[in-house]
Amino acid sequence: SAILVIRNLQTIPTFSQNLFEYVLQFIRDVSKTHIGEEYGLWVPFIGTLFLFIFVSNWSGALLPWKIIQLPHRELVAPRNDINTTVVLALLTSVAYFYAGLSKKGLAYFSKYIQPTPILLTD
């Protein structure tokens, strides 16, 4: 759908171009706020996650999934399946550890193995 929007860019933007630019700017702002100045590489990943979760939630709320019958099962919203949640969690965890390891190397894990003062008290 992004190809359809950016294929014919106008100087005076159309509604779809305006909407696309607004969503892209929102994703860039969220990425920059939470990641920092090296946010550029993560915009496609965060944007994909955002749009998938957004569309899944709204499709689950607006579409009457029970009406659509399949031969052996019924069609359900993506957010109703635990496998969707597990895959999103795994993807996010892998991306998080990849970012930490690529930025700090193996020293990245030192924050996970340091004792806290609460654990040292008797």
Side-chain angles (χ1 to χ4, degrees):
S1 64
I3 294 172
L4 295 174
V5 173
I6 64 172
R7 167 180 69 168
N8 191 15
L9 295 177
Q10 304 290 325
T11 305
I12 301 173
T14 61
F15 174 77
S16 58
Q17 184 179 344
N18 251 346
L19 181 66
F20 182 76
E21 289 177 5
Y22 177 76
V23 170
L24 184 61
Q25 190 61 40
F26 173 75
I27 293 168
R28 282 183 180 165
D29 289 344
V30 167
S31 300
K32 187 174 183 179
T33 301
H34 292 285
I35 296 174
E37 291 301 321
E38 354 19 86
Y39 72 96
L41 293 173
W42 295 101
V43 170
F45 178 72
I46 293 171
T48 302
L49 287 178
F50 170 76
L51 289 175
F52 176 77
I53 294 168
F54 182 79
V55 169
S56 294
N57 285 338
W58 276 103
S59 70
L62 298 177
L63 295 176
W65 291 98
K66 300 274 184 188
I67 293 174
I68 304 169
Q69 295 293 325
L70 295 175
H72 301 287
R73 300 183 347 185
E74 66 182 20
L75 194 61
V76 296
R79 64 188 174 98
N80 288 350
D81 191 1
I82 190 68
N83 294 320
T84 305
T85 306
V86 169
V87 169
L88 289 174
L90 288 173
L91 283 172
T92 305
S93 297
V94 168
Y96 181 78
F97 286 120
Y98 170 76
L101 285 171
S102 66
K103 189 169 187 173
K104 295 184 179 181
L106 289 176
Y108 169 72
F109 288 114
S110 66
K111 75 176 187 177
Y112 292 111
I113 58 174
Q114 291 177 350
T116 61
I118 296 170
L119 296 175
L120 296 177
T121 60
D122 288 358

